[in-house]
Amino acid sequence: MQSHTGKRNQWSDESRGKLRARGQTENLKLGTDAAKKSPKSGRFETNINAKIWKLTSPEGKVYICKNLVLWCRNHCELFGFDNTEQNARKIRAGLTHAKRGALGKQTARSCTYKGWRAEDGAKTDYDLYHYKNADMSMLTPEQRACLLDHLGGMRAKDIANKYDVKKPVVYNRIREAKRIIDTGSAHSEDEIAKRKDYAKRYYQDHKDKLKEYSRQYAADHPEAVRKANRRNYQKNREFYLEERKEYNKRYYQENRDKILLRAKELRQNQNKSPEP
Protein backbone atom coordinates (compact mmCIF):
# COMPACT_ATOMS: atom_id res chain seq x y z
CA MET A 1 0.00 0.00 0.00
CA GLN A 2 1.43 3.35 -1.05
CA SER A 3 1.43 6.12 1.55
CA HIS A 4 0.43 9.66 0.56
CA THR A 5 1.82 11.27 3.69
CA GLY A 6 3.50 14.55 2.83
CA LYS A 7 2.20 14.57 -0.77
CA ARG A 8 -0.09 17.37 -1.84
CA ASN A 9 -1.99 15.64 -4.69
CA GLN A 10 -3.28 18.97 -5.99
CA TRP A 11 -5.68 19.20 -8.92
CA SER A 12 -4.24 20.52 -12.16
CA ASP A 13 -5.92 23.35 -14.06
CA GLU A 14 -6.74 20.90 -16.85
CA SER A 15 -8.53 18.49 -14.48
CA ARG A 16 -10.50 21.34 -12.96
CA GLY A 17 -11.55 22.51 -16.39
CA LYS A 18 -12.79 19.05 -17.38
CA LEU A 19 -14.85 18.72 -14.21
CA ARG A 20 -16.27 22.22 -14.64
CA ALA A 21 -17.27 21.44 -18.22
CA ARG A 22 -19.28 18.41 -17.09
CA GLY A 23 -21.56 20.65 -15.01
CA GLN A 24 -24.02 19.29 -12.48
CA THR A 25 -25.11 15.67 -12.70
CA GLU A 26 -28.84 14.87 -12.94
CA ASN A 27 -28.95 13.64 -9.37
CA LEU A 28 -27.25 16.80 -8.14
CA LYS A 29 -29.74 18.95 -10.05
CA LEU A 30 -32.66 17.11 -8.45
CA GLY A 31 -31.08 17.45 -5.02
CA THR A 32 -30.54 21.19 -5.47
CA ASP A 33 -34.18 21.78 -6.42
CA ALA A 34 -35.37 19.70 -3.48
CA ALA A 35 -33.09 21.59 -1.09
CA LYS A 36 -34.49 24.94 -2.26
CA LYS A 37 -38.04 23.77 -1.58
CA SER A 38 -37.27 22.15 1.78
CA PRO A 39 -38.31 24.23 4.82
CA LYS A 40 -35.08 23.19 6.54
CA SER A 41 -32.67 24.36 3.83
CA GLY A 42 -34.62 26.77 1.60
CA ARG A 43 -35.32 30.48 1.91
CA PHE A 44 -37.63 30.13 4.91
CA GLU A 45 -37.64 31.12 8.56
CA THR A 46 -37.46 27.42 9.38
CA ASN A 47 -34.02 27.06 7.77
CA ILE A 48 -31.80 25.17 10.22
CA ASN A 49 -29.00 27.74 9.80
CA ALA A 50 -31.26 30.77 10.30
CA LYS A 51 -30.49 32.93 13.33
CA ILE A 52 -32.77 35.18 15.35
CA TRP A 53 -32.14 38.92 15.08
CA LYS A 54 -33.42 41.90 17.02
CA LEU A 55 -33.48 45.03 14.87
CA THR A 56 -34.29 48.53 16.10
CA SER A 57 -35.25 51.26 13.64
CA PRO A 58 -34.16 54.91 13.99
CA GLU A 59 -37.66 55.65 15.36
CA GLY A 60 -37.22 53.02 18.08
CA LYS A 61 -39.53 50.36 16.61
CA VAL A 62 -38.30 46.82 17.31
CA TYR A 63 -38.43 43.99 14.76
CA ILE A 64 -37.71 40.38 15.70
CA CYS A 65 -36.89 38.17 12.72
CA LYS A 66 -35.41 34.80 11.90
CA ASN A 67 -33.33 34.50 8.73
CA LEU A 68 -32.01 38.03 8.22
CA VAL A 69 -31.65 37.77 4.43
CA LEU A 70 -35.30 36.74 4.08
CA TRP A 71 -36.40 39.67 6.25
CA CYS A 72 -34.29 42.08 4.19
CA ARG A 73 -35.86 40.80 0.96
CA ASN A 74 -39.31 41.64 2.30
CA HIS A 75 -38.43 45.02 3.88
CA CYS A 76 -36.10 46.84 1.49
CA GLU A 77 -38.51 49.79 1.45
CA LEU A 78 -37.76 50.49 5.14
CA PHE A 79 -34.23 51.46 4.07
CA GLY A 80 -35.29 53.46 1.01
CA PHE A 81 -34.41 50.76 -1.55
CA ASP A 82 -36.36 48.80 -4.15
CA ASN A 83 -37.11 45.15 -3.36
CA THR A 84 -34.28 43.47 -5.26
CA GLU A 85 -31.89 40.68 -4.31
CA GLN A 86 -28.89 42.98 -4.62
CA ASN A 87 -30.40 45.54 -2.24
CA ALA A 88 -31.38 42.81 0.22
CA ARG A 89 -27.79 41.55 0.32
CA LYS A 90 -26.54 45.10 0.76
CA ILE A 91 -28.88 45.71 3.73
CA ARG A 92 -27.90 42.39 5.30
CA ALA A 93 -24.21 43.29 5.04
CA GLY A 94 -24.86 46.69 6.62
CA LEU A 95 -26.83 45.24 9.55
CA THR A 96 -24.22 42.52 10.12
CA HIS A 97 -21.52 45.21 10.17
CA ALA A 98 -23.58 47.22 12.67
CA LYS A 99 -23.90 44.20 14.93
CA ARG A 100 -20.13 43.68 14.92
CA GLY A 101 -19.67 47.34 15.80
CA ALA A 102 -22.10 47.05 18.71
CA LEU A 103 -20.07 44.09 19.98
CA GLY A 104 -16.89 46.19 19.88
CA LYS A 105 -15.19 44.39 17.00
CA GLN A 106 -12.18 46.31 15.69
CA THR A 107 -13.04 45.48 12.07
CA ALA A 108 -16.35 47.39 12.33
CA ARG A 109 -16.34 51.17 11.92
CA SER A 110 -19.95 51.81 12.99
CA CYS A 111 -22.50 50.29 15.35
CA THR A 112 -25.49 51.37 13.22
CA TYR A 113 -26.58 51.10 9.59
CA LYS A 114 -28.71 53.99 8.32
CA GLY A 115 -29.70 54.56 11.95
CA TRP A 116 -30.66 50.91 12.52
CA ARG A 117 -29.17 48.86 15.36
CA ALA A 118 -28.79 45.06 15.19
CA GLU A 119 -28.21 42.46 17.88
CA ASP A 120 -28.84 38.79 18.63
CA GLY A 121 -32.41 37.86 19.51
CA ALA A 122 -33.73 35.17 21.86
CA LYS A 123 -36.15 32.38 20.98
CA THR A 124 -38.66 33.63 23.55
CA ASP A 125 -38.56 37.10 21.93
CA TYR A 126 -39.06 35.55 18.49
CA ASP A 127 -42.01 33.41 19.60
CA LEU A 128 -43.63 36.35 21.34
CA TYR A 129 -43.23 38.66 18.33
CA HIS A 130 -43.90 36.08 15.62
CA TYR A 131 -47.00 34.41 17.05
CA LYS A 132 -48.60 37.43 18.71
CA ASN A 133 -48.52 39.33 15.42
CA ALA A 134 -49.65 36.33 13.36
CA ASP A 135 -53.11 35.68 11.93
CA MET A 136 -54.96 33.57 14.50
CA SER A 137 -58.26 33.37 12.65
CA MET A 138 -57.69 29.70 11.77
CA LEU A 139 -57.21 28.70 15.42
CA THR A 140 -59.95 27.40 17.67
CA PRO A 141 -60.83 29.57 20.71
CA GLU A 142 -59.17 26.99 22.99
CA GLN A 143 -55.96 26.95 20.94
CA ARG A 144 -55.83 30.75 20.80
CA ALA A 145 -56.38 31.12 24.55
CA CYS A 146 -53.70 28.57 25.49
CA LEU A 147 -51.18 30.03 23.02
CA LEU A 148 -51.66 33.60 24.25
CA ASP A 149 -51.35 32.53 27.89
CA HIS A 150 -48.20 30.59 27.01
CA LEU A 151 -46.70 33.60 25.22
CA GLY A 152 -47.62 35.71 28.23
CA GLY A 153 -45.33 33.61 30.40
CA MET A 154 -47.82 31.27 32.10
CA ARG A 155 -46.68 27.74 32.89
CA ALA A 156 -48.49 24.78 31.35
CA LYS A 157 -49.59 23.71 34.84
CA ASP A 158 -51.21 27.09 35.51
CA ILE A 159 -52.89 27.10 32.09
CA ALA A 160 -54.25 23.60 32.74
CA ASN A 161 -55.71 24.71 36.08
CA LYS A 162 -57.18 27.84 34.51
CA TYR A 163 -59.15 25.91 31.87
CA ASP A 164 -59.62 22.77 33.98
CA VAL A 165 -57.80 20.44 31.57
CA LYS A 166 -54.76 18.22 31.81
CA LYS A 167 -51.25 19.40 30.92
CA PRO A 168 -50.94 17.16 27.82
CA VAL A 169 -54.06 18.86 26.44
CA VAL A 170 -52.40 22.26 26.90
CA TYR A 171 -49.21 21.07 25.18
CA ASN A 172 -51.21 19.69 22.25
CA ARG A 173 -53.19 22.92 21.83
CA ILE A 174 -50.05 25.07 21.84
CA ARG A 175 -48.18 22.77 19.46
CA GLU A 176 -51.13 22.57 17.07
CA ALA A 177 -51.64 26.36 17.16
CA LYS A 178 -47.98 27.00 16.27
CA ARG A 179 -48.14 24.46 13.45
CA ILE A 180 -51.25 26.08 11.96
CA ILE A 181 -49.62 29.53 12.07
CA ASP A 182 -46.32 28.30 10.60
CA THR A 183 -47.67 26.00 7.88
CA GLY A 184 -51.27 27.15 7.40
CA SER A 185 -52.73 23.72 8.13
CA ALA A 186 -53.33 21.43 11.10
CA HIS A 187 -52.18 17.84 11.42
CA SER A 188 -53.91 15.53 8.99
CA GLU A 189 -55.93 12.53 10.14
CA ASP A 190 -53.09 10.21 9.09
CA GLU A 191 -50.57 12.18 11.18
CA ILE A 192 -52.88 12.15 14.19
CA ALA A 193 -53.39 8.39 13.78
CA LYS A 194 -49.61 7.85 13.61
CA ARG A 195 -49.07 9.88 16.78
CA LYS A 196 -51.75 7.91 18.62
CA ASP A 197 -50.25 4.63 17.41
CA TYR A 198 -46.81 5.77 18.59
CA ALA A 199 -48.23 6.70 22.00
CA LYS A 200 -49.86 3.26 22.33
CA ARG A 201 -46.66 1.45 21.39
CA TYR A 202 -44.62 3.61 23.77
CA TYR A 203 -47.02 2.79 26.60
CA GLN A 204 -46.85 -0.95 25.87
CA ASP A 205 -43.05 -0.87 25.76
CA HIS A 206 -42.72 1.14 29.00
CA LYS A 207 -45.87 0.05 30.86
CA ASP A 208 -44.13 -1.20 34.00
CA LYS A 209 -41.89 1.87 34.24
CA LEU A 210 -44.82 4.28 33.83
CA LYS A 211 -46.95 2.47 36.40
CA GLU A 212 -44.10 2.46 38.89
CA TYR A 213 -43.63 6.19 38.34
CA SER A 214 -47.36 6.80 38.93
CA ARG A 215 -47.31 4.75 42.15
CA GLN A 216 -44.24 6.61 43.39
CA TYR A 217 -45.77 9.99 42.54
CA ALA A 218 -49.02 9.08 44.35
CA ALA A 219 -47.02 8.00 47.40
CA ASP A 220 -44.99 11.24 47.42
CA HIS A 221 -47.91 13.58 46.66
CA PRO A 222 -51.08 11.99 48.17
CA GLU A 223 -52.92 15.29 48.72
CA ALA A 224 -52.28 16.52 45.16
CA VAL A 225 -53.48 13.19 43.74
CA ARG A 226 -56.66 13.31 45.86
CA LYS A 227 -57.43 16.83 44.69
CA ALA A 228 -56.83 15.89 41.05
CA ASN A 229 -59.06 12.81 41.34
CA ARG A 230 -61.78 14.80 43.08
CA ARG A 231 -61.64 17.53 40.43
CA ASN A 232 -61.70 14.98 37.63
CA TYR A 233 -64.69 13.18 39.19
CA GLN A 234 -66.68 16.41 39.58
CA LYS A 235 -65.98 17.31 35.97
CA ASN A 236 -66.99 13.89 34.62
CA ARG A 237 -69.53 12.87 37.30
CA GLU A 238 -72.35 12.04 34.88
CA PHE A 239 -70.05 9.88 32.79
CA TYR A 240 -68.75 7.96 35.81
CA LEU A 241 -72.26 7.36 37.18
CA GLU A 242 -73.47 6.04 33.83
CA GLU A 243 -70.39 3.88 33.48
CA ARG A 244 -70.97 2.47 37.00
CA LYS A 245 -74.57 1.61 36.17
CA GLU A 246 -73.49 -0.27 33.06
CA TYR A 247 -70.86 -2.14 35.07
CA ASN A 248 -73.41 -3.11 37.74
CA LYS A 249 -75.79 -4.44 35.08
CA ARG A 250 -73.09 -6.55 33.46
CA TYR A 251 -71.89 -7.86 36.83
CA TYR A 252 -75.43 -8.81 37.86
CA GLN A 253 -76.08 -10.67 34.60
CA GLU A 254 -72.80 -12.58 34.87
CA ASN A 255 -73.20 -13.44 38.59
CA ARG A 256 -76.99 -13.55 38.97
CA ASP A 257 -77.20 -17.00 40.61
CA LYS A 258 -74.42 -16.23 43.06
CA ILE A 259 -76.00 -12.89 44.07
CA LEU A 260 -79.48 -14.44 44.60
CA LEU A 261 -78.01 -17.29 46.64
CA ARG A 262 -76.09 -14.84 48.82
CA ALA A 263 -79.23 -12.73 49.36
CA LYS A 264 -81.23 -15.86 50.34
CA GLU A 265 -78.57 -16.85 52.89
CA LEU A 266 -78.60 -13.35 54.40
CA ARG A 267 -82.41 -13.47 54.82
CA GLN A 268 -82.25 -16.91 56.47
CA ASN A 269 -79.57 -15.77 58.89
CA GLN A 270 -81.65 -12.72 59.81
CA ASN A 271 -84.69 -14.92 60.50
CA LYS A 272 -82.68 -17.30 62.69
CA SER A 273 -81.12 -14.54 64.79
CA PRO A 274 -82.80 -14.30 68.30
CA GLU A 275 -84.89 -11.24 69.11
CA PRO A 276 -83.37 -8.87 71.69
Side-chain angles (χ1 to χ4, degrees):
M1 179 177 177
Q2 184 179 5
S3 173
H4 288 261
T5 303
K7 298 183 180 180
R8 296 186 178 182
N9 294 325
Q10 295 181 350
W11 283 57
S12 65
D13 293 337
E14 182 181 359
S15 298
R16 287 199 183 95
K18 290 180 180 179
L19 184 63
R20 193 181 302 113
R22 288 171 55 189
Q24 289 185 341
T25 63
E26 293 302 320
N27 287 339
L28 186 57
K29 291 178 181 178
L30 294 175
T32 302
D33 293 338
K36 289 180 179 179
K37 296 177 182 178
S38 171
K40 292 185 178 182
S41 56
R43 294 180 173 183
F44 306 101
E45 290 189 353
T46 52
N47 189 299
I48 58 175
N49 296 316
K51 296 181 180 179
I52 300 173
W53 289 72
K54 181 180 180 181
L55 310 174
T56 307
S57 70
E59 297 77 23
K61 186 175 180 179
V62 176
Y63 296 83
I64 307 294
C65 68
K66 192 176 182 182
N67 193 335
L68 182 60
V69 180
L70 177 63
W71 185 87
C72 293
R73 289 191 188 102
N74 299 327
H75 297 85
C76 288
E77 69 281 356
L78 295 177
F79 299 85
F81 297 127
D82 295 331
N83 285 329
T84 64
E85 183 66 21
Q86 183 179 1
N87 289 335
R89 296 285 176 180
K90 181 179 180 180
I91 295 170
R92 176 194 177 276
L95 293 173
T96 304
H97 186 88
K99 176 187 171 182
R100 292 202 303 271
L103 294 175
K105 301 293 184 181
Q106 296 181 356
T107 56
R109 299 180 180 179
S110 174
C111 59
T112 62
Y113 172 71
K114 292 186 176 296
W116 286 73
R117 289 182 283 112
E119 56 187 307
D120 288 327
K123 186 179 184 303
T124 53
D125 297 332
Y126 173 75
D127 287 347
L128 187 65
Y129 180 87
H130 175 66
Y131 292 114
K132 270 198 171 182
N133 292 278
D135 179 15
M136 296 191 181
S137 58
M138 294 185 294
L139 305 182
T140 64
E142 294 80 8
Q143 291 172 345
R144 187 184 304 112
C146 288
L147 178 61
L148 290 176
D149 288 337
H150 169 68
L151 296 175
M154 286 185 66
R155 299 182 305 170
K157 179 181 179 181
D158 297 331
I159 299 174
N161 293 334
K162 179 179 178 180
Y163 299 108
D164 197 19
V165 295
K166 296 182 179 179
K167 281 201 298 184
V169 175
V170 174
Y171 291 134
N172 287 335
R173 288 177 181 176
I174 295 173
R175 182 169 54 247
E176 195 71 7
K178 288 184 176 181
R179 177 188 170 89
I180 293 173
I181 292 174
D182 291 337
T183 66
S185 62
H187 283 93
S188 64
E189 294 182 359
D190 291 340
E191 290 174 325
I192 294 175
K194 287 181 180 178
R195 288 172 59 187
K196 289 182 177 179
D197 182 61
Y198 171 79
K200 290 179 181 178
R201 286 188 283 106
Y202 183 88
Y203 176 77
Q204 293 298 329
D205 295 341
H206 304 82
K207 185 189 300 185
D208 296 336
K209 184 178 179 180
L210 293 173
K211 287 185 176 180
E212 179 60 29
Y213 173 79
S214 297
R215 284 193 292 267
Q216 187 63 41
Y217 182 86
D220 296 339
H221 308 84
E223 188 61 30
V225 172
R226 276 195 295 271
K227 288 183 179 179
N229 291 338
R230 193 181 304 116
R231 185 168 60 249
N232 186 48
Y233 177 79
Q234 292 296 333
K235 181 181 178 181
N236 302 281
R237 186 171 181 273
E238 297 297 330
F239 170 77
Y240 287 130
L241 290 176
E242 193 64 30
E243 188 178 57
R244 188 65 185 180
K245 289 179 181 178
E246 293 296 327
Y247 172 79
N248 290 339
K249 289 180 182 179
R250 290 196 307 270
Y251 184 85
Y252 178 78
Q253 294 297 332
E254 295 172 358
N255 303 275
R256 184 172 181 273
D257 295 338
K258 186 189 298 185
I259 294 173
L260 293 177
L261 179 60
R262 178 61 178 165
K264 183 178 180 180
E265 291 176 352
L266 289 174
R267 286 195 300 271
Q268 290 176 353
N269 291 335
Q270 290 176 355
N271 294 331
K272 290 180 180 181
S273 60
E275 295 183 2

